[in-house]
Amino acid sequence: MTDRETWATRIGFILASIGSAVGLGNIWRFPYQTAEFGGAAFLLVYLLAVVVIGLPAILAEFVVGRRADISAISAFDALDHPGWRAVGALGVFGGFWTLSYYSVVGGWVFRYIGASVTGGYLEAPGEYFGAVSAGPEALALHAAFMLVTVGIVAFGIRGGIEKATKVMVPSIVILLVGLAVYAFTLPGSGAGYQYFLSPDFGALMENYQTVVPAAVGQALFSLSLGFAVMITYASYIDDDENLFVDGGAIALTNTLIGITAGLVVFPLLAVQGGGYGEAGPGAIFVSIPTALSDVPFGSAVGFVFFLIVAVAALSSAISLLEVVVSHLVDTYGFERRRTTVLLGGIVFALGIPSALDTAWLTWFDAIGVNLLLPTAVLLVVVFVGWVLADDAVEEIRKGADGFETVGTVWLWSIRSIVFLAVLGTVALSLFELTGAPL
Ligand code: PHE
């Protein structure tokens, strides 16, 4: 076997992980979830969920990956617990599944970049979205999105993923901040900030049963947990890195980018007359275009906005594909390029139903993000908390001098609050998916 690749630089690993975390989850899902679950109060619970649940959970995946030094399924063999391979397999499968429709949405975004130039969506945004979100053209754009994803992953960790995300992540930040400043100058945008940033605690207390699980789910999804991405990415790093610092930097940047996306989306929705809660998944494809027809430089703003979304979606999609590619390359010694192309083709095929009918897309999303993802996180949490246990603490302390106590606190948080919160999320999703009344 040839020597396994590693990241060229520490910042390369951090940026690639941020690239994975920052995606449709931040710019598309986060604003509409916030709107659906009551605005600022949701934001507050989400922030808490990132710190208390998401951060310990991302560290758990890091520990598994770095200690095993190999891709997500074989990792459990390498750690001498082959019985747990199924956990890695579930994560890898979940990522594969999710990528199939993630790419369809990515295809819509490609289309909206072009339509910003021609002004195609400005006249009747609702009808436009209805017409382009499913059908042969959506399928072709899904293919285009997968092609770019394959193109990057085929070049490997250093030559593909690290190089690409080094440009992608800073571009997202700069452009998004630019748009947030622009949104601030719009007359009538004030109500958007009010909605996004000043919490209504009364409503929160009334609806906490729905708000809390939604916020936990969003935190897990946004940090790219469950689908073995962080296990895989961490398997390419060295023992002298401080995982607490890396995990903290990734979680913090991801959250700040999500908030900045909110500072673009909510003011724009306010300009367009509010209606935050009703926007739903179509928010950025319908409500934002509606707002764009009313504001100065609408087309240019639309172009930049959808460009950001596309870059963010791509840097996440490559992480999902890398998980499966690295599994086949590491385990069976397959050649990377050919494997990547082949897998890209299979993901494309799996996404065909979602590209032809959005009802399929919604179904794939519900299974992938509401069920497979939290279940995989739960199993990793149990594995790290009770099976690896002291070994996990030893691993996390490597390269983390001065963080000895934090290591123990971390393990106990995994065994208590993280475990319970994720268990609750899985249980609720099961109730919802099976339609059982609560
Ligand atoms: N975090 C990504 C986003 O916010 C989605 C994702 C989830 C990517 C899980 C990889 C693994 O869009």
Side-chain angles (χ1 to χ4, degrees), residues 103-407:
S103 164
V104 174
V105 180
W108 298 348
V109 178
F110 275 5
R111 164 148 212 146
Y112 272 70
I113 298 177
S116 301
V117 179
T118 61
Y121 54 62
L122 289 179
E123 235 157 67
E127 279 115 67
Y128 184 82
F129 180 64
V132 305
S133 53
E137 288 180 32
L139 191 63
L141 287 159
H142 160 48
F145 187 89
M146 273 319 294
L147 216 63
V148 181
T149 308
V150 165
I152 298 172
V153 176
F155 285 98
I157 289 291
R158 288 191 185 194
I161 299 180
E162 187 164 346
K163 267 207 186 122
T165 46
K166 248 189 191 160
V167 183
M168 291 166 119
V169 173
S171 320
I172 295 172
V173 173
I174 294 169
L175 294 175
L176 204 57
V177 169
L179 282 192
V181 171
Y182 162 86
F184 184 72
T185 65
L186 295 175
S189 60
Y193 298 105
Q194 166 87 12
Y195 182 79
F196 185 45
L197 300 174
S198 81
D200 172 355
F201 290 106
L204 176 61
M205 294 320 267
E206 262 168 45
N207 301 319
Y208 69 92
Q209 315 94 306
T210 48
V211 174
V212 173
V216 173
Q218 173 63 23
L220 300 179
F221 179 73
S222 191
L223 286 172
S224 290
L225 294 170
F227 299 148
V229 167
M230 297 303 173
I231 297 183
T232 306
Y233 275 11
S235 72
Y236 297 110
I237 55 176
D238 295 326
D239 278 354
D240 55 1
E241 283 198 31
N242 187 332
L243 296 180
F244 291 109
V245 174
D246 290 5
I250 294 161
L252 181 70
T253 316
N254 179 54
T255 306
L256 289 178
I257 293 181
I259 293 177
T260 314
L263 294 178
V264 175
V265 171
F266 287 103
L268 275 172
L269 293 184
V271 169
Q272 174 257 150
Y276 313 100
E278 300 93 71
I284 70 164
F285 298 104
V286 180
S287 315
I288 294 284
T290 309
L292 290 177
S293 55
D294 283 351
V295 298
F297 316 111
S299 300
V301 172
F303 178 79
V304 176
F305 180 77
F306 287 109
L307 187 69
I308 299 171
V309 185
V311 173
L314 276 170
S315 64
S316 301
I318 56 181
S319 71
L320 289 167
L321 188 58
E322 170 61 25
V323 168
V324 200
V325 169
S326 70
H327 167 61
L328 296 180
V329 170
D330 283 356
T331 314
Y332 305 106
F334 285 9
E335 198 261 330
R336 174 176 277 271
R337 290 201 183 174
R338 254 184 250 153
T339 312
T340 312
V341 172
L342 181 76
L343 286 172
I346 301 176
V347 172
F348 168 74
L350 189 63
I352 292 176
S354 302
L356 296 181
D357 186 343
T358 47
W360 277 109
L361 191 145
T362 314
W363 184 75
F364 267 79
D365 178 52
I367 303 281
V369 172
N370 298 344
L371 189 64
L372 299 177
L373 188 147
T375 307
V377 176
L378 181 66
L379 294 171
V380 169
V381 162
V382 171
F383 178 74
V384 169
W386 284 277
V387 180
L388 275 189
D390 294 341
D391 289 351
V393 176
E394 182 197 280
E395 181 64 36
I396 208 163
R397 284 182 178 157
K398 281 186 200 153
D401 292 340
F403 283 75
E404 280 71 17
T405 357
V406 195

